[in-house]
Amino acid sequence: MPTFRWLPAALALTVSAVQAAEETPRDGESEYLARAAEQRCIAGETVLLAVPLPNDMKIDYDATSSRLRVFYPMQFNDLTEGWNWHPEEVAAGRDYYTFKYLPLGSTTESRSSDRLTALDGKTIEYPVEWHFDYFLAFDNPYEFYPRDAGEQTGFAAEIVLPAAAAQRLAGGDLRMAVRARLNENCLSDSTTFWKATISKPVDFTLKKRYLVGRLEEVRFTDAATGRLLARLPAGIR
């Protein structure tokens, strides 16, 4: 079981009673594609989205207090798209990047191939690849953690559990989901393209796709039992 540094109690929500989860979180890619196909954005509509856990997710169990402490880091999750540039906000003591992001998933597609000719006259066949990243973009992060939290910037919870259950969760059964209230314009995307070269023979297109709204709550659940372990509502800090 991985062990990480302790989290400050000021950032943690302690949940001693395990509850049943009311609904199944939706896959971010499927949710985006369905809404994009229908051009469907309803201001105020809520959706529960599954959030994959990152490699730097921090999990720590204290056997003395029987508490599993989990921490999803958000220190560098600024959304840097042009529509989120706000230099005028800095003078007022606010963030340059108002919206933060949560990764929801990624896919890569190989789309046939093409050819280019090197200086020696040889023809090189190269793949054409498209990569799709899906995100939730939200503009109310400081309803969940302090603006000046530094390395402690992120979503934290404490869950009272037996050691065996904590070890199982840390081993792969822990899941995270978020509920978001969507904006009237809830879809955004960007495209970046890199043309194949001799040194890097691949045409690569990167598509970033965003569901846009406000974060209502963060949830941690047990994949094996379907139980809700902790709920962090907006405004808890």
Side-chain angles (χ1 to χ4, degrees):
M1 172 181 176
T3 301
F4 299 96
R5 60 174 171 75
W6 286 80
L7 308 178
L11 285 177
L13 173 68
T14 301
V15 181
S16 58
V18 178
Q19 307 168 52
E22 299 93 350
E23 59 187 295
T24 302
R26 303 178 190 177
D27 171 71
E29 176 183 356
S30 299
E31 185 69 18
Y32 179 95
L33 293 176
R35 290 179 179 275
E38 303 171 7
Q39 289 298 298
R40 175 166 52 90
C41 284
I42 302 174
E45 183 180 4
T46 63
V47 59
L48 186 66
L49 299 167
V51 177
L53 299 183
N55 292 332
D56 58 350
M57 182 79 179
K58 295 173 175 60
I59 304 174
D60 178 38
Y61 185 67
D62 177 35
T64 302
S65 62
S66 299
R67 295 185 182 209
L68 180 69
R69 302 182 178 190
V70 297
F71 180 71
Y72 184 106
M74 286 288 295
Q75 185 177 10
F76 303 109
N77 287 33
D78 292 321
L79 196 159
T80 58
E81 301 286 1
W83 54 266
N84 195 37
W85 296 353
H86 303 287
E88 72 284 354
E89 294 294 301
V90 178
R94 293 185 286 269
D95 290 356
Y96 186 97
Y97 299 113
T98 301
F99 280 83
K100 313 303 178 184
Y101 70 85
L102 279 167
L104 300 178
S106 300
T107 58
T108 299
E109 297 179 7
S110 294
R111 297 191 173 186
S112 68
S113 61
D114 209 336
R115 292 180 174 83
L116 58 80
T117 303
L119 293 177
D120 60 5
K122 292 183 179 179
T123 299
I124 300 174
E125 184 171 347
Y126 61 88
V128 177
E129 294 185 357
W130 286 59
H131 184 82
F132 302 87
D133 287 331
Y134 295 87
F135 305 90
L136 171 67
F138 61 98
D139 63 353
N140 62 322
Y142 305 129
E143 293 188 51
F144 293 87
Y145 48 79
R147 183 175 184 271
D148 59 355
E151 292 184 359
Q152 304 299 329
T153 299
F155 305 109
E158 291 185 353
I159 308 156
V160 177
L161 290 170
Q167 185 173 6
R168 178 175 55 76
L169 289 166
D173 282 346
L174 183 67
R175 294 291 186 275
M176 178 175 168
V178 295
R179 183 178 296 283
R181 186 172 298 278
L182 300 177
N183 290 355
E184 180 179 2
N185 299 313
C186 70
L187 301 174
S188 182
D189 68 89
S190 66
T191 304
T192 307
F193 173 71
W194 290 267
K195 181 62 180 174
T197 64
I198 296 300
S199 61
K200 193 171 184 179
V202 57
D203 269 3
F204 188 79
T205 299
L206 172 63
K207 299 281 290 187
K208 293 185 177 181
R209 293 170 165 173
Y210 302 92
L211 292 164
V212 185
R214 292 179 66 80
L215 201 57
E216 295 275 291
E217 67 178 21
V218 176
R219 297 182 177 188
F220 293 102
T221 59
D222 184 335
T225 65
R227 307 289 284 182
L228 176 63
L229 301 171
R231 176 187 281 120
L232 283 66
I236 62 168
R237 77 172 188 85

